[in-house]
Amino acid sequence: MEIVDGIRVTSAARTIVDTARCLDADRAVVLGGSALRLRPAAHAALPAALTAADTRTGIAAARRMCAFLDGRSESPGESISRLRIRAAGLPGPVLQFEIWTAGGAFVARTDFFREEFGVVGEFDGMGKYRSADPGASAETVRREKLREDAIRAQGYEVVRWTWSELFHFDDVRARIDAATRRRWR
């Protein structure tokens, strides 16, 4: 137990385990990844929390989910993307990988990266493109296009997907496969 604002609450690790026991994988990975991002120390406490919940319903699901969680996912869409990548039979990507030029200049930090494939994956939640100011939205799109051009200039393919595509991931998988083939021609 912990005290937050004078109220007794379960620890972050216990909350992650309890929700992983009860929620579907999409919700559990979003909640668990977010909790680990906000409280990284909870990761080390997960084994003890799993042991304490050993006889509770859903513990097998909690064990699987806790082994999969990663606090480096920066949004619900990125967390669910990891589940879809795994379900598609693709190897787990490196999260938040930084790309630099040969001369040492920073290019970009990517959502998903597989160096052996030469492919960068980007989940676009679209929130960054929405603004009450059309000029701000246009500038965001312009900067994102320049960022993607800079990644490609380093020799990588870029594959993007959105929320709706998370629920039809076969199309994304096909684009990742095509990008991999292009990269290795």
Side-chain angles (χ1 to χ4, degrees):
M1 288 293 197
E2 296 178 6
I3 305 293
V4 176
D5 294 333
I7 300 171
R8 287 181 52 166
V9 297
T10 58
S11 69
R14 163 79 189 268
T15 302
I16 291 168
V17 169
D18 285 349
T19 56
R21 290 186 313 103
C22 303
L23 298 177
D24 63 80
D26 284 0
R27 287 178 177 88
V29 77
V30 167
L31 187 137
S34 178
L36 291 178
R37 187 173 52 261
L38 295 171
R39 295 183 182 259
H43 192 272
L46 285 175
L50 286 164
T51 298
D54 192 46
T55 60
R56 295 192 180 117
T57 301
I59 191 62
R63 282 191 191 100
R64 286 189 303 274
M65 188 53 55
C66 287
F68 182 75
L69 293 176
D70 194 314
R72 292 175 295 169
S73 289
E74 294 183 337
S75 71
E78 287 182 27
S79 293
I80 295 171
S81 291
R82 290 182 56 241
L83 283 172
R84 299 304 186 268
I85 288 166
R86 180 177 69 176
L90 294 167
V94 175
L95 305 182
Q96 311 311 326
F97 183 80
E98 292 184 352
I99 296 174
W100 298 78
T101 66
F106 177 76
V107 174
R109 187 166 50 90
T110 64
D111 295 342
F112 307 100
F113 182 71
R114 288 306 304 195
E115 186 168 18
E116 67 272 27
F117 298 152
V119 175
V120 167
E122 293 286 314
F123 171 76
D124 279 333
M126 306 310 285
K128 65 183 166 190
Y129 302 112
R130 291 189 189 105
S131 173
D133 175 6
S137 294
E139 178 59 20
T140 300
V141 169
R142 185 186 75 77
R143 281 194 316 265
E144 195 62 21
K145 286 178 161 286
L146 292 173
R147 176 182 173 275
E148 188 169 320
D149 286 346
I151 293 170
R152 286 198 171 108
Q154 296 306 305
Y156 300 111
E157 291 283 332
V158 179
V159 177
R160 294 180 169 278
W161 58 89
T162 62
W163 271 108
S164 63
E165 292 172 303
L166 284 177
F167 303 98
H168 306 283
F169 206 75
D170 288 345
D171 295 339
V172 177
R173 167 69 194 257
R175 292 199 315 266
I176 291 170
D177 289 344
T180 302
R181 285 191 302 275
R182 280 192 307 272
R183 173 72 161 80
W184 293 110
R185 272 193 229 166

